[in-house]
Amino acid sequence: EPEVTQTPSHQVTQMGQEVILRCVPISNHLYFYWYRQILGQKVEFLVSFYNNEISEKSEIFDDQFSVERPDGSNFTLKIRSTKLEDSAMYFCASSGRDHLYQETQYFGPGTRLLVL
Amino acid sequence: EDKVVQSPLSLVVHEGDTVTLNCSYEVTNFRSLLWYKQEKKAPTFLFMLTSSGIEKKSGRLSSILDKKELSSILNITATQTGDSAIYLCAVPVSGGSNYKLTFGKGTLLTVNP
């Protein structure tokens, strides 16, 4: 069964460093998302992406964050200068073979980011 | 502000018990409600509910939506230790050309042997 994959599974970085989290969405999906979950808290929406542009972003998604779909398969989240409070599990999700299935989002296994 | 509230926040049962998890929502332009199971990592999709009163079933799990009460329940019968997980309720909220999910805090279910 097709699934969303993410790499790396864990990333440890120093404050101020840049990180890139990678995702391969389900191949025929059209809508892509990043969410994060700080330990013990809710899953929170970061950004959605469709047709090679950002559809919506949350307040968390400030200028330090960017997303890209550099080719037909990968979807990346870049954090330019990491802060301690960026430590969280980051989930990629994809959805939407067509309008009817757009809302059902399928999640990858996540990248655990630890900023020291 | 869109809101999804789940109860209880945690629940401990014995194998074989039946459990009912609750989710209530306040969102504008409601379209659907989704249930996910989160074990160690990724939320795994369980159900999407769009119509009130129509039960969705998958094995020992079932779920139903009540649009009048703005709520949904997830039932698990004859629980097994493998059902131990966090169960998440989420509601898609329209954002431009697609939907972002607003999640509840989840219900942590522990099934003891």
Side-chain angles (χ1 to χ4, degrees), chain B residues 25-112:
Chain B
Y25 59 87
E26 286 177 36
V27 299
T28 50
N29 299 317
F30 176 84
R31 281 173 60 98
S32 60
L33 182 145
L34 288 81
W35 284 98
Y36 287 86
K37 178 183 182 182
Q38 186 177 25
E39 294 175 268
K40 289 185 181 165
K41 287 189 176 177
T44 306
F45 172 72
L46 294 174
F47 298 113
M48 176 172 145
L49 304 162
T50 54
S51 301
S52 217
I54 297 175
E55 186 183 58
K56 289 227 173 163
K57 206 167 162 63
S58 175
R60 295 176 295 102
L61 276 68
S62 63
S63 185
I64 198 160
L65 178 67
D66 185 340
K67 285 187 182 178
K68 198 172 163 190
E69 295 295 324
L70 306 183
S71 66
S72 173
I73 59 170
L74 175 69
N75 281 319
I76 309 175
T77 58
T79 51
Q80 301 171 357
T81 54
D83 295 327
S84 296
I86 297 174
Y87 289 85
L88 298 172
C89 174
V91 177
V93 175
S94 178
S97 54
N98 51 10
Y99 295 86
K100 62 181 181 184
L101 294 180
T102 297
F103 282 88
K105 286 185 178 179
T107 295
L108 173 60
L109 175 65
T110 305
V111 182
N112 289 325

Side-chain angles (χ1 to χ4, degrees), chain A residues 1-6 23-27 29 92 94 106-109:
Chain A
E1 189 174 323
E3 56 183 23
V4 178
T5 59
Q6 290 185 242
C23 168
V24 179
I26 293 172
S27 65
H29 280 184
C92 173
S94 70
Y106 296 89
F107 285 75

